[in-house]
């Protein structure tokens, strides 16, 4: 079977099994503006000394302190600021912490996070090769979608994180994060599959891993988005392996 031929030996991960059969032939044409004036081998943006970035992020977390900027502070256990490698050049943005994240103070550690790890792994990435955060840093009760005033109240933190990290690429997970970063009310089905921008930074929207847990049919478009991400990373000289 085609999918089995492509699967590296010993790999039994279900995400891989389903995506491997989709093929890897598609070539994605990237917009001309991506990587303009950058060399193919150097990461885009400032190549930050990891210490500077970490110091600045720590100072930002201190400014956030025990934030009371919106109603989400009332029921939260933790402010989930973000996690991973802030100098990696790849920033993933989700919607908001869930119960496990609120408990542990780390983004994407529940079921959706475990699937996200497998998706990242399919293009050679892991938690140390990306930084992950959310549009709101406190858990919305019952995992509801954050309201626009909650997103607005939290926006300054994300904006500062982006300014400090200067990522080469942003991947938005799901409609709320994608709409917030791209500045549109379009649905995720329309936004995904192409490269948008936040200032000079390419933005690649894809479905939220929690949506994949509910709807198997979304695996294929997510895999296509990961191939597009891989093409983008290659062009920008960022990590991620060439072939799955
Ligand atoms: N879903 C999100 O959007 N973010 C998390 O951190 C966890 C689940």
């Amino acid at each position: 079977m085609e999918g089995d031929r492509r699967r590296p030996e010993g790999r039994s991960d279900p995400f891989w099994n389903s995506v491997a059969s989709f093929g890897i032939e598609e070539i994605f044409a990237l917009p001309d503006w991506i990587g303009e004036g950058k060399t193919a081998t150097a990461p885009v943006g400032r190549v930050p000394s990891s210490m500077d970035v970490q110091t600045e992020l720590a100072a930002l977390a201190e400014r956030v302190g025990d934030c009371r900027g919106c109603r989400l502070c009332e029921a939260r256990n933790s402010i989930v600021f973000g996690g991973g490698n802030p100098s990696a050049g790849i920033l993933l943005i989700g919607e908001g912490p869930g119960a496990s994240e609120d408990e542990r103070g780390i983004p994407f550690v529940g079921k959706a996070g475990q699937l996200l790890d497998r998706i990242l792994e399919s293009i050679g990435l892991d938690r140390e090769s990306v930084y992950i955060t959310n549009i709101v840093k406190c858990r919305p009760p019952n995992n509801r979608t954050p309201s626009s005033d909650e997103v607005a109240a939290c926006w300054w933190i994300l904006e500062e994180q982006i300014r400090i990290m200067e990522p080469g690429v942003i991947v938005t997970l799901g409609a709320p994060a994608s709409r917030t970063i791209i500045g549109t009310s379009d649905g995720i089905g329309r936004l995904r599959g192409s490269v948008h921008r936040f200032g000079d930074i390419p933005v690649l929207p894809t479905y939220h891993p929690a949506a994949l847990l509910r709807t198997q049919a979304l695996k294929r478009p997510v895999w296509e988005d990961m191939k597009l991400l891989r093409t983008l990373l290659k062009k920008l000289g960022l990590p991620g392996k060439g072939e799955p």
Side-chain angles (χ1 to χ4, degrees), residues 94-98 101 107-108 112 134 208:
E95 186 174 319
E101 292 77 18
F108 282 97
N134 286 299
H208 194 287

Side-chain angles (χ1 to χ4, degrees), residues 131-203:
Y131 188 88
I132 309 181
T133 189
N134 286 299
I135 49 170
V136 295
K137 311 303 193 223
C138 301
R139 183 189 181 202
N142 304 315
N143 300 336
R144 65 163 169 76
T145 303
S147 65
S148 53
D149 62 320
E150 291 158 357
V151 173
C154 217
W155 172 247
W156 73 274
I157 307 173
L158 183 55
E159 204 176 22
E160 277 295 274
Q161 287 176 310
I162 296 172
R163 184 191 63 75
I164 293 166
M165 289 187 270
E166 293 187 25
V169 60
I170 294 176
V171 178
T172 49
L173 304 169
S178 304
R179 288 174 173 157
T180 301
I181 294 296
I182 297 164
T184 177
S185 55
D186 285 350
I188 186 66
R190 177 182 275 267
L191 293 172
R192 64 145 296 274
S194 47
V195 183
H196 303 259
R197 57 201 290 176
F198 179 79
D200 285 342
I201 308 171
V203 177

Side-chain angles (χ1 to χ4, degrees), residues 24-244:
I24 54 167
E25 301 80 14
E26 289 103 308
I27 306 292
F28 293 95
L30 295 174
D32 289 343
W33 59 271
I34 291 172
E36 257 167 26
K38 316 284 195 310
T39 67
T41 49
V44 293
R46 181 177 54 164
V47 184
S49 124
S50 164
M51 216 35 178
D52 286 354
V53 170
Q54 260 157 22
T55 308
E56 278 197 73
L57 283 180
L60 174 61
E62 203 146 307
R63 274 170 67 203
V64 172
D66 181 36
C67 180
R68 319 296 299 171
C70 79
R71 66 184 77 77
L72 295 184
C73 67
E74 287 160 19
R76 70 154 184 249
N77 289 304
S78 332
I79 295 179
V80 183
F81 187 74
N85 179 354
S87 304
I90 307 169
L91 174 62
L92 268 59
I93 304 177
E95 186 174 319
S100 315
E101 292 77 18
D102 178 56
E103 203 175 290
R104 294 180 53 190
I106 304 169
F108 282 97
V109 287
K111 275 202 165 140
Q114 287 159 26
L115 178 56
L116 179 61
D117 285 340
R118 304 218 299 268
I119 294 170
L120 291 174
E121 191 198 332
S122 73
I123 55 164
L125 299 173
D126 61 18
R127 294 282 174 133
E128 269 314 295
S129 42
V130 300
Y131 188 88
I132 309 181
T133 189
N134 286 299
I135 49 170
V136 295
K137 311 303 193 223
C138 301
R139 183 189 181 202
N142 304 315
N143 300 336
R144 65 163 169 76
T145 303
S147 65
S148 53
D149 62 320
E150 291 158 357
V151 173
C154 217
W155 172 247
W156 73 274
I157 307 173
L158 183 55
E159 204 176 22
E160 277 295 274
Q161 287 176 310
I162 296 172
R163 184 191 63 75
I164 293 166
M165 289 187 270
E166 293 187 25
V169 60
I170 294 176
V171 178
T172 49
L173 304 169
S178 304
R179 288 174 173 157
T180 301
I181 294 296
I182 297 164
T184 177
S185 55
D186 285 350
I188 186 66
R190 177 182 275 267
L191 293 172
R192 64 145 296 274
S194 47
V195 183
H196 303 259
R197 57 201 290 176
F198 179 79
D200 285 342
I201 308 171
V203 177
L204 211 136
T206 192
Y207 289 104
H208 194 287
L212 259 77
L213 289 172
R214 293 188 298 266
T215 310
Q216 296 269 318
L218 298 181
K219 283 184 176 179
R220 183 183 175 118
V222 169
W223 175 234
E224 284 168 356
D225 294 338
M226 290 307 104
K227 288 191 290 179
L228 179 53
L229 174 60
R230 194 181 54 194
T231 305
L232 198 55
L233 296 179
K234 213 167 173 193
K235 171 137 186 176
L236 297 173
L238 287 166
K241 66 183 173 194
E243 295 293 331

